Amino acid sequence: MTEALRQLGLVGLGFFQRLGRAHLLLLAILAGVPPLFLRFSLVVRQLYSVGVLSLLIILVSGLFVGMVLGLQGYNTLVDFGAEESLGVVVALSLVRELGPVVTALLFAGRAGSALTAEIGLMKATEQLSAMEMMAVDPIRRVLAPRFLAGFLAMPLLAAIFSAVGVIGGWFVGVGLLGVDDGAYWSQMQAKVDLYDDIWNGVVKSIVFGAVVTWIAIFEGYDAVPTSEGVSRATTRTVVHSALAVLGLDFVLTALMFGD
Amino acid sequence: MTSRTLEIWVGIFVAAGLAALFMLAMKVSNLAAYQTGPSYEVTARFEDVSGLKVRSPVTMAGVRIGRVKRIEFDDEALQAVVTLEIDKRHNRLPRDTSASIYTAGLLGEKYVGLEAGGEEESLKPGDRIRLTQDSMVLEKLIAQFIAKFIEDKNP
């Protein structure tokens, strides 16, 4: 009995210790961000691996998500004779929800796991300790540029996803199914609000970008420095990021569109 | 990969992201409708404006010439006071122009439709449109129709 309670306590303590370490690491990283603007080449290199290399998956997924939305939306709307509203359906679902959320999930799988594996291996092969030996702070030199790059890349990727999705929906709706071209765009412009919809979507993607990058970097930095430990950390990054993104999405949606 | 090609790729990525944001703002959202040039305001009083919203379009002959700026309630007259913002270019509407609230399609958005009168003098900023017709409420119409129907059945 007491043994079971002790185990429970141990698990709880371990959880809160990790949470505390994650927050302390975040503070240290944030303190390391301002000096980066003097050496922006470090960030550019990370923007390449986090942003440019994610472009292909984002473009292809965005196009297909938009096309599926166009097809499904058309089949539902045509029963009500409201297929002219297809543009609204496609644009609102992409800009409000699917753009930020699906991009964040893909970002966690493509860029987050790579970040964790890279940092975890740096730790396992003692590159981080070597840096400390040379009086180079690994948090500022290695972690902060990656965090800033993820933070900057995510909103851009989400915007690309949504824009490509709208074009995909247009391609299916207007190009293949015969919805009127003018109605597609004008209904969309009448119903999509710059602040309520587009800006809130951008805010969501900024939050998701920061959270996913934070989780990825923390898991890598906190990984057990063995090959097994790194592999577990990578798995945890993807799982925890996905859960955090979906949970946060509900909270943010309730705050933004709840009233 | 040399650092030069890497930087070019990052440049392409950032430019594509910004272009996508720009496209969302300009082509997808109602940003274009926000940019009203110089305009003037006139008011109109209605008994019932249900369904009309701030930023609903104001049209004349089916062409959008402005938008609803404010909707207030007058405690004295127990009426709705709607402030219309009309494009400065259209400053020669006759004084006896009438305003009605219409629905786009059967269940669509409400908008204010203006119909020109015949007077020589034109509406000035701050003027009030005197002839108004209220918003058509579907429930009321259906209720009237059913009442009429029952009456006809049981005379």
Side-chain angles (χ1 to χ4, degrees), chain A residues 169-188:
Chain A
W170 174 83
F171 178 69
V172 169
V174 177
L176 301 179
L177 298 170
V179 175
D180 183 57
D181 183 37
Y184 185 85
W185 293 110
S186 69
Q187 292 252 358
M188 191 189 293

Side-chain angles (χ1 to χ4, degrees), chain B:
Chain B
M1 180 173 304
T2 65
S3 107
R4 192 179 139 74
T5 40
L6 186 141
E7 279 157 13
I8 290 172
W9 271 109
V10 172
I12 292 172
F13 165 61
V14 173
L18 293 179
L21 269 179
F22 185 75
M23 180 211 151
L24 288 178
M26 296 307 295
K27 188 93 180 151
V28 174
S29 87
N30 56 357
L31 183 67
Y34 268 108
Q35 289 162 334
T36 44
S39 59
Y40 65 99
E41 292 176 9
V42 294
T43 60
R45 286 166 175 270
F46 296 92
E47 300 288 340
D48 190 344
V49 292
S50 38
L52 196 70
K53 292 192 195 75
V54 172
R55 289 217 306 272
S56 292
V58 175
T59 66
M60 189 160 212
V63 182
R64 186 193 177 113
I65 59 168
R67 56 182 184 154
V68 173
K69 194 174 187 206
R70 264 194 309 277
I71 301 176
E72 286 153 322
F73 181 67
D74 180 356
D75 291 315
E76 300 284 312
L78 301 177
Q79 281 176 324
V81 181
V82 178
T83 308
L84 310 175
E85 198 176 30
I86 296 173
D87 204 318
K88 196 99 197 172
R89 284 173 302 170
H90 311 294
N91 57 354
R92 285 166 56 197
L93 309 181
R95 268 194 65 144
D96 57 346
T97 295
S98 66
S100 322
I101 300 177
Y102 293 121
T103 314
L106 192 57
L107 299 167
E109 253 187 317
K110 300 274 178 173
Y111 65 96
V112 178
L114 300 181
E115 269 140 69
E119 269 194 52
E120 293 278 303
E121 246 182 294
S122 51
L123 275 174
K124 301 211 170 30
D127 273 1
R128 184 183 141 195
I129 296 177
R130 302 209 171 257
L131 295 168
T132 61
Q133 196 194 328
D134 299 331
S135 138
M136 179 195 79
V137 184
L138 204 61
E139 289 95 316
K140 279 190 190 167
L141 278 185
I142 293 173
Q144 270 174 12
F145 177 75
I146 291 174
K148 183 91 173 31
F149 187 71
I150 292 171
E151 215 171 85
D152 288 351
K153 282 264 169 172
N154 325 304

